[in-house]
Amino acid sequence: MTTPAWDPAQYLRHAGHRGRPFADLLARVPALPGDRPRIADLGCGPGNVTALLAERWPTARITGYDNSPEMLDKAHVDHEGPTAGGGHLDFAPADVRTWTPAEPHDLIVSNATLQWVPGHADRFPDWIAGLRPGGTLAFQVPDNIDAPLHTLMRDLAGTPRWRDRLAGVLRGTDSVPAPGTYLDRLTRLGCTADVWQTTYLHVLTGPDPVLDWVKGTGLRPALTALADDPGARDAFLAEYRELLRAAYPSAPYGTVLPFRRLFVVARKPA
């Protein structure tokens, strides 16, 4: 899988729809052990949902971590600084594949990031060990690698015209384990785990809205791989656009994008 180059503006074009699952995740996070909690957001992106953590825990010291300079620049400008309740929000570069808490944390959270991290479940022991007693690990990931927007992308990338340029570039079908795998791994680490799935029916508007959506996320590796050849990039987008139009037909009120997500809230024993 190619490490994608991120475009904060493109990602934020659907910020409302993308932010709702994070709010739903936070609604299931139990009370944290510390009065001034220490919180880490792994894969914070442009920081727009990290800011929701400060609303929920206004006294917290929160750090958002990401490996995209473009995303971190946006987060620094838009969200960094003291919070209304006396806490503080900042952002720092980090690779989720190797990040380990340098101090005890009350909450480690991640929003739509771990699907990009091969073998991320192997990081759970270090993260759970870095939580205070009674602390929580909470994350959500897209669980729709079998949806048309992904299968059509992979099928197109595997055609003779594109396979030499895009072989191995896209996220694989094994990027998100089965829900029971998360439950088993975290329970064996001593946590009480709450695991569930939700399918959102996002009603998108505008021309080719599903393509516009995926250009901010799942399509980024292909766009990165073709960035040095704008003609090839545009040709790939044109072919993919026609496939998406057939798979996601528009209605008078917009285009419906069914999107399944997987949620995990794991609490360390107090």
Side-chain angles (χ1 to χ4, degrees):
M1 180 179 66
T2 294
T3 300
W6 293 96
D7 180 344
Q10 182 67 44
Y11 181 83
L12 289 169
R13 284 173 59 81
H14 300 278
H17 290 298
R18 298 193 200 282
R20 180 182 168 188
F22 191 64
D24 292 345
L25 177 71
L26 295 188
R28 301 287 284 272
V29 173
L32 301 182
D35 292 332
R36 299 179 65 84
R38 183 71 174 105
I39 300 175
D41 179 10
L42 306 184
C44 62
N48 58 307
V49 299
T50 316
L52 299 178
L53 295 167
E55 295 179 9
R56 173 76 181 274
W57 294 282
T59 63
R61 185 161 57 98
I62 304 163
T63 301
Y65 296 98
D66 209 286
N67 65 353
S68 166
E70 295 82 6
M71 289 292 202
L72 287 173
D73 286 347
K74 181 68 171 171
H76 285 305
V77 170
D78 289 355
H79 301 290
E80 190 165 78
T83 61
H88 194 272
L89 177 58
D90 59 23
F91 300 90
D95 188 334
V96 176
R97 295 174 297 178
T98 57
W99 180 86
T100 300
E103 61 182 296
H105 277 58
D106 298 87
L107 174 64
I108 298 172
V109 68
S110 184
N111 183 61
T113 293
L114 298 185
Q115 74 276 10
W116 297 106
V117 183
H120 58 262
D122 294 335
R123 303 293 298 124
F124 293 167
D126 285 342
W127 296 346
I128 298 301
L131 291 172
R132 300 183 195 277
T136 295
L137 169 67
F139 61 88
Q140 72 86 10
V141 289
D143 191 21
N144 66 339
I145 199 70
D146 57 347
L149 80 164
H150 286 294
T151 59
L152 293 172
M153 189 193 310
R154 290 195 303 273
D155 290 348
L156 180 59
T159 59
R161 181 177 183 182
W162 299 110
R163 66 168 64 112
D164 289 344
R165 297 289 301 272
L166 298 178
V169 164
L170 298 174
R171 187 158 59 88
T173 57
D174 60 349
S175 57
V176 174
T181 300
Y182 287 125
L183 179 69
D184 182 73
R185 295 284 291 266
L186 290 162
T187 302
R188 289 178 183 273
L189 291 171
C191 295
T192 300
D194 183 12
V195 181
W196 73 97
Q197 293 169 306
T198 296
T199 298
Y200 297 87
L201 298 183
H202 298 303
V203 179
L204 307 180
T205 58
D208 296 304
V210 177
L211 178 63
D212 192 63
W213 171 288
V214 78
K215 282 168 67 178
T217 52
L219 193 58
R220 296 308 304 176
L223 295 177
T224 301
L226 298 173
D228 62 345
D229 188 344
R233 178 200 61 206
D234 293 346
F236 182 84
L237 287 175
E239 291 187 54
Y240 184 45
R241 177 184 295 111
E242 294 306 313
L243 295 171
L244 290 178
R245 286 175 175 174
Y248 298 94
S250 62
Y253 51 83
T255 300
V256 178
L257 173 63
F259 204 103
R260 187 175 69 240
R261 295 182 183 268
L262 192 157
F263 299 78
V264 177
V265 176
R267 186 172 184 267
K268 186 174 181 176

